[in-house]
Amino acid sequence: DDRWALEYEAIESDFAGTLYSEFDFGKHVGELNQFDGMQLVMGLDWGISHPTGCLWIYVNVPEQRIYVADEFMKTGFVIQESCGVINQITGTRPVEWRVIDPSTSKRNSQTGRRDMDEFARYGVTCVPGDNRDRGYDVVKCLLKAGKIRIHPKCKNLISQLRTVQRGDKTGEDMLDCLRYACVRIHDFMFGGNLLNVDEKPHEQIHYTPEYLRNR
């Protein structure tokens, strides 16, 4: 919409440079305390020099709505420390799946192990996210359609939605968590296709809930 307004209507929006100009605090932020029938998923982004982030997201599949209920963001934690906090916040709530920055599926040059495996070792089993640019469009479409709602306590996510500019690759850790989760929700839970980035990078595969739970 920003590009259309600028290129074809010569109207420049005050938010045109913002990565997610579709975000509206009044529309997208609010409390929701009833999660009956919703499925819990999580989006993670891993880092030491930059923050490790995690979002707890409830999904109303029939209504195709997403509610971001909680967040964690911390710089300087090793994987074990981050997993400890994540598990503490999650508690006994069943999690359908967790999706993480796909770079964690590569072997760490120092340990010889995948960072994703280290997360699993400490009780946070994840699948790799889709890091292609289409993820930005997925989030934009969901925001524009009013399908995303965020709890006010998710201050870091809200701040980044408000301020991160297009092309800015720093300070978007929580936005990455949201993007990885939204792509998977869009493709799998809302009935689309999911690209298997691990095994068949050029093939579109229809996933089933059983396949993803066992993965």
Side-chain angles (χ1 to χ4, degrees), residues 2-80:
D2 293 331
R3 184 175 298 176
W4 177 271
L6 182 62
E7 297 294 334
Y8 295 96
E9 299 181 4
I11 301 172
E12 184 172 357
S13 166
D14 291 338
F15 304 100
T18 307
L19 179 60
Y20 293 116
S21 59
E22 297 80 6
F23 176 72
D24 182 321
F25 186 91
K27 178 180 179 180
H28 296 113
V29 177
E31 294 191 24
L32 181 66
N33 300 313
Q34 191 64 254
F35 304 111
D36 293 345
M38 297 189 190
Q39 300 183 39
L40 176 61
V41 302
M42 294 162 63
L44 292 90
D45 188 44
W46 158 238
I48 295 181
S49 59
H50 66 90
T52 291
C54 182
L55 294 175
W56 284 259
I57 301 172
Y58 285 92
V59 185
N60 185 325
V61 178
E63 296 183 8
Q64 296 189 342
R65 294 190 179 275
I66 297 167
Y67 188 77
V68 185
D70 209 345
E71 71 171 13
F72 161 71
M73 189 174 85
K74 180 70 176 179
T75 302
F77 268 14
V78 298
I79 292 176
Q80 183 178 5

Side-chain angles (χ1 to χ4, degrees), residues 99-187:
V99 61
I100 195 169
D101 175 0
S103 69
T104 59
S105 63
K106 300 175 183 177
R107 294 198 179 275
N108 188 302
S109 59
Q110 295 180 340
T111 65
R113 297 187 296 271
R114 301 189 309 169
D115 290 329
M116 188 183 298
D117 294 334
E118 288 298 289
F119 272 91
R121 179 183 176 191
Y122 295 109
V124 182
T125 304
C126 302
V127 294
D130 183 343
N131 200 25
R132 293 176 297 167
D133 286 346
R134 75 185 186 97
Y136 297 103
D137 293 331
V138 169
V139 177
K140 282 175 169 289
C141 288
L142 291 171
L143 285 170
K144 185 177 178 180
K147 297 292 188 179
I148 298 177
R149 197 161 179 83
I150 304 167
H151 195 285
K153 68 181 175 181
C154 300
K155 298 182 185 301
N156 293 295
L157 174 61
I158 293 169
S159 174
Q160 291 181 18
L161 282 166
R162 278 176 150 174
T163 61
V164 170
Q165 302 292 299
R166 282 200 296 266
D168 186 0
K169 295 301 181 182
T170 61
E172 61 170 347
D173 307 279
M174 302 310 294
L175 298 184
D176 287 341
C177 297
L178 180 65
R179 179 163 54 93
Y180 299 145
C182 283
V183 169
R184 199 171 188 87
I185 291 167
H186 172 270
D187 288 351

